[in-house]
Amino acid sequence: MSDIQLDLVSDAKLSRMGSTEKVRYIIDEVRKGKIMVLEKGLDPMEEAKLIEMTMTEIEEDFYGLEIESYPRDDAGPSFLGKLFKKDAGQQKLTVIGPANQLKTLRKDNSLISTLVSTK
């Protein structure tokens, strides 16, 4: 079994970065095989940019990424949240990792259960 690196990233670290810098940082770290746990999720535009940039970089050795978040309790769903059936504007914890290693098993408002594979 090989090792898996799990990076717990504080809101303070990401808040010092611009949107493009955040997205680039996340993609670069996930490409290295790291699982990223963000204290505070991305805003809807950053999440869209992350998905868009990831799609342009998919190749034989990079399968893309898996991303899961759970919403804050203190706000109703945003327009994008209603559209995608989740509250994309008010995220708490976000888990991001390589799509070929991270699989979401279960998700609700208080738990994200994932399986991390070393295959």
Side-chain angles (χ1 to χ4, degrees), residues 4 100-103 115-119:
I4 297 169
N100 64 333
Q101 290 184 297
L102 188 67
K103 179 181 178 190
L115 177 66
V116 179
S117 170
T118 58
K119 294 179 187 179

Side-chain angles (χ1 to χ4, degrees), residues 24-99:
R24 183 79 261 152
Y25 168 72
I26 292 167
I27 291 173
D28 289 347
E29 296 303 294
V30 170
R31 281 187 77 109
K32 294 175 190 173
K34 296 178 183 180
I35 307 296
M36 310 288 293
V37 179
L38 310 181
E39 178 182 15
K40 181 180 175 192
L42 303 171
D43 69 37
M45 297 305 285
E46 292 168 339
E47 193 168 316
K49 187 175 200 114
L50 175 65
I51 292 166
E52 179 184 335
M53 286 179 69
T54 299
M55 296 305 287
T56 65
E57 296 190 24
I58 290 176
E59 52 191 45
E60 191 173 313
D61 66 334
F62 180 59
Y63 298 94
L65 53 82
E66 176 82 13
I67 181 170
E68 283 296 341
S69 300
Y70 58 84
R72 291 193 183 277
D73 309 315
D74 58 352
S78 67
F79 171 74
L80 285 176
K82 289 176 187 174
L83 186 64
F84 293 107
K85 301 207 184 330
K86 73 177 191 176
D87 187 1
Q90 296 293 323
Q91 301 298 323
K92 284 189 191 177
L93 180 81
T94 299
V95 180
I96 305 172

